[in-house]
Amino acid sequence: MMTKPGCVYLVGAGPGDIGLVTLKGYTYLQQAEVVLYDRLVNPLLLEYASQQAEFIYCGKMPKKHILRQEAINELLVKHGLEGKNVVRLKGGDPSVFGRVGEEAAALEQAGVPYEIVPGITAGIGAAAYAGVPVTHREHSLSFAVITGHDKSPSGEPLIDWHALANGIDTIAFYMGLGNLPYISEQLISHGRSSDTPVLLIQWGTTGKQRTLQGNLATIVQKAKAAQFKNPAIILVGDVSTLKKGESWFESKPLFSQHLLLGRAGEEPSEMARHLREQGAEVFEFPRMQKKKHLLKKADIPANRDLLFLSPASVDIFFESLQANKIDIRRIQGEFYGISKKTVKAIESYHCFGKEIAERSPDAPPLVILGDPEGFHRKEQRYPFVFEPDFIATHSFIRVQQTEQTFSRLQEEERIETIIFPNARSVKTVTEGFQACGETPENISTYARVICFGEKSKQAAVKAGYAVSEVLSEPTEEALQEVLLQKEAPLVAAALS
């Protein structure tokens, strides 16, 4: 019996900023069983894929391919015929120099269903993040995207240079820095003024974005002096003069800072969102998966007060009641939450909850529900409450795919400073580093280590890190103050 074919989604990931992927692309990425991704895809996007997804790196650099295009086509067909949902994640727009036509043809020939999901192309996205619109009523009424290299023997683009030089106001050359002298020479020799403004944009829309302004006569020497390299867009035209100093993107307070926020739980942190709003690129590491431990009927306490350590413990408790067909009216004890957020979770089930601070110290012992790590952490904070009666509702395990994200970011030199807010973050982050073949001693040779307090400092030193700074107070505000003061980008382990 033949397996029903799956579907291959050829998705544009946008030029770099993970917020620029389309809603449809994001949805398909979450549903994918296999993800084949390119070098120019921001590795942080991988964190939004399914925890069970298989990742296949298809990185391509000039004259160096991890996988040849023919091999990529074969993998797409193979997994599609196996009935899997496959996402082929491409930088920018898949139809703009993304070879999507070749991949679609291979899938069509094999009878594998596919969809093409457009993305924001780099020529438009990178220009916008540099503060330059590619069209403007006073400067540009036409726009063209041109490959900076092609399949010709020399790799120099074989195009109608006369038509390009004289008929297009704004030209975006993709991946053409290696041919920048040739491009400038051809445009000038075919009629474009040597004074025509040029803007180079490297790693556009990411924290590594760099820009360089010049004109057709000067840009080659300037690019050489500044050591500009691909990936980059060469934007030729008068619109380039609209860039005056830092763009709206480059002027964000935390622009160029790459933050690694270590999390011990499953949910993304609010602090990560706040830092992204300030312009930082944030990697929450390591990615964690919740493993439920549903309670057996005999283990569910009916006549004791219950203390929940997290919203997750509340959800699993009520799921256990349903699984065991236990009526909530049989539970006679009162419900307490360790925090306001946990109390809200209790109330979402139409039950009355109180914060633990409201409970009398003389009340009978509680039954505590949560994850073991959370129990040990909260025990130090509320010693008068905690008794031996503890029931594990869940635990957290590291998602292996997060290791691939870390490795890609490390290759791109986006790991620079680590901040530990507590001892638990030291443990989870260190275990994640070790799974990636990294050690605290080695990472301390190229990354600064900042701790939120003395306890996290002690744990970090014991683990082998060289701690360089302790925050004045363990708050998000103190962290942002340090980030704003430091010139070097920071990597942070988040508050749990």
Side-chain angles (χ1 to χ4, degrees):
M1 181 177 177
M2 291 187 63
T3 303
K4 181 181 177 181
C7 189
V8 176
Y9 302 96
L10 307 165
V11 176
D17 184 339
I18 61 173
L20 295 182
V21 69
T22 65
L23 178 59
K24 178 174 275 192
Y26 174 75
T27 301
Y28 286 152
L29 180 60
Q30 287 185 310
Q31 299 170 352
E33 297 168 89
V34 181
V35 179
L36 292 87
Y37 68 101
D38 284 343
R39 168 178 171 252
L40 295 184
V41 168
N42 191 329
L44 295 175
L45 272 178
L46 301 178
E47 294 297 288
Y48 295 94
S50 165
Q51 296 167 345
Q52 287 76 41
E54 176 187 356
F55 291 164
I56 301 175
Y57 180 47
C58 307
K60 292 181 181 180
M61 295 179 67
K63 300 180 181 179
K64 181 181 179 182
H65 293 182
I66 302 297
L67 285 177
R68 304 292 301 178
Q69 187 62 51
E70 295 77 12
I72 295 172
N73 295 349
E74 290 174 3
L75 284 170
L76 294 175
V77 170
K78 172 181 177 293
H79 289 296
L81 291 175
E82 289 174 351
K84 297 177 181 177
N85 285 328
V86 182
V87 162
R88 174 73 172 103
L89 203 57
K90 296 169 170 287
D93 182 285
S95 298
V96 180
F97 309 126
R99 303 184 75 168
V100 75
E102 298 171 45
E103 294 174 356
L107 293 166
E108 196 164 334
Q109 185 176 2
V112 177
Y114 69 89
E115 291 184 23
I116 299 176
V117 182
I120 296 175
T121 189
I124 296 174
Y129 273 50
V132 177
V134 294
T135 64
H136 191 287
R137 286 199 302 173
E138 297 179 7
H139 300 283
S140 174
L141 300 180
S142 56
F143 169 62
V145 294
I146 308 293
T147 180
H149 65 279
D150 61 17
K151 296 173 66 176
S152 64
S154 65
E156 298 169 342
L158 299 175
I159 56 178
D160 187 341
W161 286 101
H162 179 79
L164 187 65
N166 297 279
I168 303 296
D169 295 327
T170 305
I171 312 167
F173 290 93
Y174 285 53
M175 304 297 285
L177 278 183
N179 286 327
L180 184 57
Y182 176 78
I183 290 169
S184 299
E185 176 188 327
Q186 290 300 311
L187 289 174
I188 293 172
S189 65
H190 285 87
R192 200 69 171 239
S193 169
S194 60
D195 293 329
T196 301
V198 178
L199 175 65
L200 303 185
I201 311 167
Q202 183 183 48
W203 287 107
T205 80
T206 75
K208 297 176 69 176
Q209 177 171 302
R210 295 173 63 206
T211 58
L212 182 66
Q213 290 178 284
N215 57 43
L216 287 176
T218 64
I219 196 62
V220 172
Q221 188 57 39
K222 284 189 172 185
K224 184 177 180 181
Q227 297 183 330
F228 253 64
K229 299 178 181 178
N230 283 322
I233 293 292
I234 305 168
L235 200 67
V236 179
D238 290 342
V239 291
S240 297
T241 61
L242 296 175
K243 180 171 177 58
K244 307 291 185 183
E246 292 183 338
S247 70
W248 62 269
F249 175 58
E250 297 158 352
S251 62
K252 287 196 171 189
L254 299 182
F255 168 71
S256 83
Q257 300 203 26
H258 302 275
L259 312 179
L260 188 154
L261 282 87
R263 63 185 182 195
E266 186 181 35
E267 296 298 320
S269 71
E270 281 294 300
M271 185 164 71
R273 182 173 63 83
H274 297 157
L275 292 170
R276 289 189 184 101
E277 290 171 353
Q278 296 297 309
E281 284 199 354
V282 184
F283 174 35
E284 296 184 77
F285 179 82
R287 187 179 179 191
M288 306 296 284
Q289 180 180 4
K290 180 172 61 187
K291 183 179 180 181
K292 297 180 182 179
H293 306 301
L294 290 178
L295 281 63
K296 296 180 181 178
K297 189 172 184 178
D299 296 331
I300 296 176
N303 300 305
R304 299 271 300 276
D305 289 352
L306 307 180
L307 170 61
F308 297 94
L309 299 185
S310 66
S313 61
V314 175
D315 294 337
I316 295 169
F317 174 76
F318 280 94
E319 187 177 342
S320 298
L321 293 183
Q322 186 174 17
N324 288 285
K325 302 187 184 309
I326 295 176
D327 193 313
I328 185 62
R329 290 171 293 187
R330 290 179 53 189
I331 307 300
Q332 301 300 310
E334 292 190 324
F335 293 162
Y336 291 88
I338 202 72
S339 64
K340 287 183 173 64
K341 190 174 181 181
T342 306
V343 171
K344 284 185 179 181
I346 295 170
E347 293 172 344
S348 71
Y349 289 93
H350 306 286
C351 293
F352 184 68
K354 304 177 185 177
E355 282 195 65
I356 190 59
E358 299 178 42
R359 193 170 191 267
S360 169
D362 300 325
L366 289 155
V367 174
I368 303 168
L369 299 96
D371 69 289
E373 289 284 350
F375 175 81
H376 294 307
R377 186 174 74 256
K378 299 294 193 304
E379 187 178 23
Q380 297 176 1
R381 188 174 178 184
Y382 303 97
F384 66 93
V385 168
F386 279 70
E387 299 289 342
D389 292 336
F390 171 75
I391 298 175
T393 55
H394 62 287
S395 57
F396 292 103
I397 57 175
R398 190 177 61 257
V399 177
Q400 288 187 347
Q401 288 95 325
T402 198
E403 299 165 17
Q404 195 159 344
T405 305
F406 172 83
S407 297
R408 291 291 303 127
L409 291 171
Q410 190 180 39
E411 287 177 19
E412 294 176 6
E413 298 181 345
R414 288 157 71 174
I415 306 295
E416 298 177 351
T417 302
I418 306 168
I419 300 177
F420 292 121
N422 50 46
R424 189 183 187 196
S425 67
V426 175
K427 179 177 183 295
T428 56
V429 171
T430 302
E431 289 175 350
F433 285 162
Q434 291 172 340
C436 299
E438 185 59 276
T439 66
E441 291 80 7
N442 186 60
I443 206 167
S444 295
T445 63
Y446 62 85
R448 290 188 301 135
V449 178
I450 298 177
C451 296
F452 267 55
E454 286 300 319
K455 288 186 178 179
S456 56
K457 176 185 176 181
Q458 292 171 12
V461 171
K462 184 177 181 181
Y465 296 95
V467 177
S468 59
E469 187 175 354
V470 178
L471 295 184
S472 59
E473 55 180 350
T475 64
E476 182 180 331
E477 290 72 21
L479 170 61
Q480 293 207 33
E481 184 178 343
V482 170
L483 292 171
L484 291 171
Q485 291 174 349
K486 302 295 181 181
E487 294 183 1
L490 295 179
V491 177
L495 288 166
S496 55

